[in-house]
Amino acid sequence: MKRIFASALILGCSLLLWNCKDDDNRKEVEIRDRQEVYNENIGKIETFLKTNSIEILEDGVKFDSIAFEANNTIWKQTTYPLQSITLRNDTYTINSRTGKYEKLVDNVEYKVYYLIINEGGGESTSAYDNVFTSYAGYNLDRTSFETYPFGIWSGYPSNGNASEFISGYRQILRQIKTASGIIDNGDGTYSYDNPGRVVVFIPSGLGYFNSGNSSIGAYAPIIFDIKLITFKEVDHDNDGILSKYEDINGNGNLWDDDTDGDGKPDFLDLDDDGDGYTTREEITYTTQENGETVKKLYPFNEIPNCTGGSVKKHLDKNCH
């Protein structure tokens, strides 16, 4: 059973974390073709997998160089079978001129190799949950560029309680589950048991791409050993509706649900239908409790439709 500090479980971001801090040493170099860079990266990753062994430690891993395609290379070992998945870059940015959210132009299909060290005894998470993970990061030369054993909150997209991690890190978490339980030890620490754990080999297009610093080079593939500890469902825009319920078309992508067409997806829009009344206002009702009038929010499944309408009132601009 692993112990973590209470402050680490509560805080959303640490100034020590590479994902959160402003790094004066990080430099952007000339942008290259993404497919060309990926072709180079996947070759380097596969060579690494075929010429290195892996030893699983409590808070990280150890790589050793060995003969090409020896039976105990990462490529051939069977203790943690090497798997792969095809991922697309899911990064969105805000256009500074229009204020609209736009997807990063990246048409590459990335093959991402990974090892499941432990599936985890808890729950699966969604792409839009805030997650609490610990990790160790490595370059392909086997040097460590960052370790964070105490855990840190991250989210997609970033919000007030969690910073956004790189795409490859975020997406691989769908392959494992959270810890089976977290216990308050009463001494300022928590314990967790049976977390999901994965080692993932990330092409730079799902990482830092042309950004580099003294620890990670530009266009460099990287490796993460990640433990998934727990998660929280999120209401990104604080409109009273959990983001998972704002997938109107039900395709699992929250970014393409924009009821009023203003360039803000519903899960980031305070007024989903653009009628001048906030979503929170439209799903609020009054009731009597102990002789007093109080305001409450409808549970999502109980939000009413407009009279004669077919959609919930906060999505109908003709309903106030």
Side-chain angles (χ1 to χ4, degrees), residues 203-221:
S204 65
L206 296 178
Y208 294 109
F209 198 53
N210 64 311
S211 296
N213 63 13
S214 58
S215 299
I216 304 173
Y219 303 117

Side-chain angles (χ1 to χ4, degrees), residues 280-281 283-289 292-298:
R280 180 173 283 273
E281 288 178 284
I283 65 170
T284 297
Y285 68 97
T286 58
T287 187
Q288 295 292 317
E289 287 188 355
E292 296 184 0
T293 300
V294 295
K295 292 184 177 182
K296 290 190 171 183
L297 298 176
Y298 284 109

Side-chain angles (χ1 to χ4, degrees), residues 91-230:
T91 303
Y92 277 75
T93 57
I94 299 178
N95 185 302
S96 59
R97 182 177 58 83
T98 66
K100 294 185 177 182
Y101 290 88
E102 297 178 351
K103 191 176 185 302
L104 178 70
V105 179
D106 185 352
N107 297 318
V108 178
E109 293 185 348
Y110 294 94
K111 186 174 186 178
V112 176
Y113 288 99
Y114 64 97
L115 308 170
I116 293 181
I117 309 305
N118 188 53
E119 181 182 11
E123 300 178 65
S124 299
T125 63
S126 82
Y128 302 94
D129 294 327
N130 282 0
V131 293
F132 190 76
T133 61
S134 63
Y135 66 85
Y138 305 88
N139 293 298
L140 291 191
D141 64 2
R142 297 184 293 276
T143 59
S144 172
F145 61 78
E146 185 79 66
T147 58
Y148 207 81
F150 302 117
I152 193 76
W153 283 106
S154 62
Y156 172 68
S158 61
N159 54 70
N161 297 314
S163 292
E164 183 176 317
F165 284 12
I166 58 173
S167 181
Y169 188 112
R170 293 195 307 268
Q171 294 193 66
I172 204 62
L173 297 179
R174 308 290 82 74
Q175 306 304 311
I176 54 176
K177 298 178 181 179
T178 61
S180 55
I182 297 180
I183 301 170
D184 187 343
N185 300 314
D187 61 356
T189 67
Y190 290 83
S191 298
Y192 61 87
D193 192 30
N194 195 23
R197 185 175 179 183
V198 62
V199 176
V200 59
F201 304 84
I202 302 176
S204 65
L206 296 178
Y208 294 109
F209 198 53
N210 64 311
S211 296
N213 63 13
S214 58
S215 299
I216 304 173
Y219 303 117
I222 51 179
I223 307 166
F224 275 106
D225 172 23
I226 309 169
K227 292 180 182 177
L228 175 57
I229 301 168
T230 190

